[in-house]
Amino acid sequence: HRHLTGIDGLQPHEIMFLLDESEQWIDSNRSRDKSHKQLRGLTQINAFFENSTRTLLSFEIAGKRLRADVVNMHAAQSSVKKGETLIDTAMTLNAMRADVIVIRHQSSGAVRLIADKVDCPVLNAGDGRHEHPTQALLDALTIRRRRGSVAGQRVVICGDILHSRVARSNILALTALAAEVRVCAPSTLMPAGMERMGVTPFTDFDQALEGADVVMMLRLQNERMSGGFIPSNREFHLRYGLTLARLARAKPDVLVMHPGPMNRGVEIDSAVADHVVHSAITEQVEMGVAVRMACLDVLTRRARRVKGWS
Ligand code: CP
C-alpha cells in the first residue's frame, strides 16, 4: 500500500506486521535512543484541519525521533480560512515536495481525496466519521501487550458509536485480529448493520459488560451531532458512564481504555480512568508514538529506496 487511509482494505497479516514493527520503537523511546535516522532528509507535513492533542503531537514526535524535517500546518492559521479548496491546498503541499503528508480533516473521505492527488504517501490522522487507523493500531498494540493476544478477547466499545471514526477503525482492526467485539450505545447513537461488521450491538451497558476482557469508552461527539437526539451528560452518565460498580461486571483483570479526549464524569469516572491496575489510558498514548514511528517508517521505505537513501 502506498497510503494508510484506513484499516479497511488491510489484511490481518498486514495489521500484525505494523504492530510487530511498532514493538521495536517502544524500548527505543523509553531509553531515549537517538541513533535512529530512518527519515533523515525527508520532509513530513502534518496538515490538521481539525483540533488534536495526541495525534498531532505524537506524529510530530514520531517524525522527529526518526529525524524527518517536520512541518505542522494548522488550518486555522492557513489560507483555508481565505477560501482555498481542499484540492488546491493538497496541490500546494505537493508542490513543496513533501515526502509524507499526515492529514486530519472533518470530512469523511477527505484524506482519500488528497491521497489521490499527491505524489507522496498520505497517512490518515482521522477523517470525519470515517476512519482513524493509527488509533486502532495503537489500541490493538496496547491490548496485545497487556493481554498477550487480541484474538479471543471480548472487547466492549461503548459510547457514541454512530459518530466515531475510532469505533469504526477499531471494529475493523479487532475483528480482523479475531477479537469478540461488542458495541454498546443508545439506539439513537448506534449505526445500522453492526452485525454485518461482525460485532454484537447492545443498548444495555450492564449486559454488554458481562465477562469483558477490555472496555473501550468513547466520548459523545457533540461537534458531529446536527439535530436529532443528543443525550444530556447526566442522562448519558446514568446509563452508559463507566463507574467502578459497573466495571465489576467485567472480568476481574479487565483493561479500561479511552482514546481521549476524556469527559470525566460523563462517559467515565475518574476512579476508573485513573485506576492503577485497570486503566491503560496513558499506555495508549505511549503506544501512539511507537505506532506512528512504524507507520512513517514503513510507508516511506519505497520512496527512500527510489532516492537511494536506504
Ligand atoms: N485520540 C485522538 O485522536 O486524540 P486527539 O483528538 O487529541 O488527537
Side-chain angles (χ1 to χ4, degrees):
H1 302 272
R2 197 159 83 87
H3 308 290
L4 179 64
T5 55
I7 298 295
D8 198 15
L10 292 184
Q11 298 298 315
H13 75 270
E14 293 171 320
I15 298 172
M16 289 296 262
F17 169 71
L18 288 170
L19 301 188
D20 293 343
E21 286 284 315
S22 304
E23 292 278 358
Q24 65 182 303
W25 301 119
I26 300 167
D27 288 337
S28 156
N29 284 336
R30 285 179 181 167
S31 64
R32 307 307 301 263
D33 181 352
K34 298 207 183 302
S35 64
H36 304 290
K37 299 179 172 65
Q38 278 80 348
L39 267 64
R40 188 168 57 180
L42 301 191
T43 299
Q44 172 188 333
I45 299 183
N46 299 327
F48 276 59
F49 298 84
E50 211 185 48
N51 293 345
S52 171
T53 299
R54 282 147 287 267
T55 313
L56 175 60
L57 281 177
S58 60
F59 263 118
E60 182 172 2
I61 290 168
K64 285 182 169 163
R65 293 218 171 127
L66 295 172
R67 298 288 177 271
D69 297 316
V70 184
V71 184
N72 292 331
M73 193 204 91
H74 300 280
Q77 293 140 26
S78 73
S79 288
V80 170
K81 289 282 167 203
K82 301 175 194 165
E84 188 162 58
T85 67
L86 183 61
I87 300 293
D88 285 337
T89 305
M91 297 317 293
T92 302
L93 302 184
N94 198 48
M96 291 178 189
R97 301 206 178 275
D99 296 293
V100 58
I101 301 177
V102 180
I103 300 167
R104 168 167 289 194
H105 200 281
Q106 60 277 11
S107 301
S108 308
V111 176
R112 181 78 255 170
L113 200 68
I114 293 179
D116 289 340
K117 296 281 175 199
V118 299
D119 301 319
C120 66
V122 169
L123 286 86
N124 183 357
D127 64 328
R129 293 157 54 170
H130 178 229
E131 282 232 39
H132 193 350
T134 56
Q135 179 70 46
L137 292 170
L138 75 88
D139 288 336
L141 184 63
T142 306
I143 295 171
R144 192 174 79 167
R145 286 175 64 85
R146 276 284 197 114
R147 314 283 308 185
S149 167
V150 175
Q153 296 291 306
R154 178 175 290 174
V155 183
V156 179
I157 307 176
C158 178
D160 181 0
I161 308 292
L162 182 66
H163 301 101
S164 176
R165 56 197 177 206
V166 174
R168 201 178 132 72
S169 289
N170 260 300
I171 289 168
L172 292 165
L174 295 172
T175 54
L177 300 180
E180 180 207 328
V181 180
R182 295 176 165 187
V183 288
C184 180
S187 53
T188 48
L189 297 177
M190 180 75 83
M194 283 287 91
E195 291 90 348
R196 281 199 303 277
M197 289 190 82
V199 304
T200 313
F202 287 78
T203 49
D204 185 319
F205 193 22
D206 292 318
Q207 268 179 24
L209 281 170
E210 292 296 338
D213 295 288
V214 179
V215 186
M216 198 180 284
M217 298 305 298
L218 304 173
R219 72 181 173 89
L220 291 168
Q221 310 247 315
N222 291 310
E223 73 275 25
R224 296 189 216 289
M225 295 185 200
S226 49
F229 170 78
I230 303 177
S232 72
N233 286 347
R234 199 180 140 273
E235 192 180 10
F236 192 79
H237 182 260
L238 211 62
R239 290 192 60 199
Y240 297 99
L242 189 59
T243 59
L244 278 178
R246 271 216 169 101
L247 197 61
R249 293 180 174 268
K251 291 228 179 106
D253 58 349
V254 63
L255 199 65
V256 174
M257 301 173 69
H258 194 305
M262 279 188 282
N263 290 125
R264 289 171 182 261
V266 183
E267 74 273 12
I268 189 164
D269 274 7
S270 282
V272 179
D274 303 330
H275 199 285
V276 290
V277 177
H278 296 301
S279 177
I281 294 170
T282 53
E283 215 169 297
Q284 288 173 267
V285 177
E286 184 186 6
M287 294 307 119
V289 179
V291 158
R292 285 158 186 141
M293 288 173 84
C295 292
L296 288 167
D297 177 30
V298 168
L299 282 171
T300 57
R301 266 178 205 167
R302 195 185 336 180
R304 278 149 42 200
R305 265 202 306 276
V306 170
K307 287 175 195 265
W309 289 354
S310 64

